[in-house]
Amino acid sequence: MPLQKFLFKPGVNRENTRYTTEGGWYEGDKIRFRQGNPEKIGGWTQFAANTFLGICRSLWNWITLAGENLVGVGTNLQFYILNGGVYYDVTPIRKTITLTNPFTATNGSSVITVAEADHGCVDGDTVIYSGSGIVGLGGNITAAVLTNTFQITFLDDNSYTITVSATANATDAAGSPGGGTVVTQYEVNTGNSYQVPLVGWGAGPWGGGTWGN
């Protein structure tokens, strides 16, 4: 039987069915076309050595009048500006408040409970503690340990926890609640890591069944 040459049309055509796309390509995965022929994509190149927190939800690239090439990176946790391979946190501040002795430590734990009435936080929010009025709890939990940025674990409307870089001892527990005068900044509330389907107007029982079909 003599050999027969097949000429396939370049590109993937999903407008038609498999049978009507005769002489062409109906589907493909991680391929591109070069001179009319398909070839596999050669892989990925790391864009920056640094990393960011959260799952990326948006990217926006622009060049300033000064010639700087910037990328806005929006995640479910924070918003960054990528410049020169470095991610700069520019997440807006939702609230700034000064707390007095908000920290409570437990002996043998690095988890600190923070008290604030109606703090308005959700799980995963970012809080920043600063100010010259911060003091340690008397043991391992020093002012330097507390003066930092932390991710919140929600407890209730009036308290949450943070995880610090040191383990509290009995002296810290005895000195609780403490911390002195703490300037507290909360970044805007975080979003979900993944999309939650079927929420809001028209979801669930409303819009289902006979009504809405």
Side-chain angles (χ1 to χ4, degrees):
M1 182 177 181
L3 296 177
Q4 183 175 358
K5 185 177 182 180
F6 290 95
L7 296 177
F8 293 96
K9 293 175 287 187
V12 178
N13 184 359
R14 300 285 291 187
E15 297 294 326
N16 301 319
T17 65
R18 295 176 183 271
Y19 297 102
T20 55
T21 313
E22 185 176 359
W25 304 93
Y26 178 75
E27 62 183 350
D29 182 29
K30 299 180 181 64
I31 62 170
R32 62 182 176 182
F33 287 83
R34 184 188 296 271
Q35 296 181 354
N37 298 314
E39 68 176 19
K40 67 179 182 179
I41 295 178
W44 301 94
T45 300
Q46 186 171 349
F47 187 71
N50 298 295
T51 58
F52 52 80
L53 296 177
I55 296 176
C56 185
R57 288 287 176 240
S58 66
L59 291 171
W60 184 261
N61 180 219
W62 75 99
I63 298 178
T64 67
L65 295 177
E68 290 183 297
N69 189 0
L70 306 178
V71 180
V73 181
T75 76
N76 65 305
L77 297 180
Q78 292 177 320
F79 189 80
Y80 301 90
I81 298 295
L82 175 62
N83 184 14
V86 179
Y87 293 95
Y88 296 93
D89 183 7
V90 295
T91 309
I93 299 299
R94 174 178 61 86
K95 180 176 72 170
T96 300
I97 189 172
T98 299
L99 304 178
T100 301
N101 294 328
F103 303 118
T104 299
T106 301
N107 186 19
S109 175
S110 60
V111 177
I112 305 295
T113 301
V114 184
E116 180 194 345
D118 300 321
H119 51 70
C121 300
V122 299
D123 206 43
D125 276 5
T126 297
V127 60
I128 305 166
Y129 301 124
S130 61
S132 58
I134 296 180
V135 297
L137 301 183
N140 296 332
I141 309 302
T142 63
V145 170
L146 295 172
T147 306
N148 215 322
T149 300
F150 301 96
Q151 196 167 3
I152 288 170
T153 299
F154 180 86
L155 290 181
D156 54 49
D157 292 339
N158 301 315
S159 62
Y160 56 85
T161 64
I162 60 173
T163 301
V164 298
S165 58
T167 301
N169 57 24
T171 304
D172 294 309
S176 300
T181 304
V182 184
V183 178
T184 305
Q185 293 180 303
Y186 297 104
E187 294 184 351
V188 293
N189 295 131
T190 60
N192 294 323
S193 299
Y194 298 93
Q195 180 182 7
V196 180
L198 299 179
V199 296
W201 178 265
W206 174 267
T210 303
W211 173 269
N213 285 342

